[in-house]
Amino acid sequence: MPAKTGGSHAIAAFVTLLVGTMLSKYLWSVAPPLGEAGVLAMTLIRESTGIAVPLTDQFAGSVVVMVGLSFVWGVVYHFSRHG
């Protein structure tokens, strides 16, 4: 059981990293307001947690897209496993 769920999490992390980076570059060029929303979200998270991480527009956009992809992957995995 742990190998099955662990494998799913590992694949999800890897796919999210790759696809999220590529997709965020595309979304930033096609929909700049989405990228700006990513920067705003990351700024709010950074201010509320007090973590001092250097923030670039590309990084913020990538993180927002990766979180979204991870959420979708989790929902799909949950419904496919638990019906």
Side-chain angles (χ1 to χ4, degrees):
M1 183 69 106
K4 187 176 182 181
T5 57
S8 173
H9 285 86
I11 291 169
F14 184 69
V15 169
T16 298
L17 181 66
L18 294 178
V19 174
T21 303
M22 292 185 292
L23 189 60
S24 67
K25 290 179 184 178
Y26 173 75
L27 287 176
W28 188 266
S29 64
V30 173
L34 184 61
E36 292 170 7
V39 171
L40 178 62
M42 287 296 293
T43 301
L44 291 172
I45 291 169
R46 196 172 63 161
E47 288 174 356
S48 65
T49 60
I51 298 173
V53 176
L55 182 65
T56 63
D57 293 348
Q58 186 174 0
F59 176 72
S62 295
V63 168
V64 170
V65 170
M66 288 178 198
V67 168
L69 287 172
S70 294
F71 177 77
V72 170
W73 184 289
V75 169
V76 169
Y77 178 78
H78 175 76
F79 284 116
S80 69
R81 182 165 176 156
H82 300 292

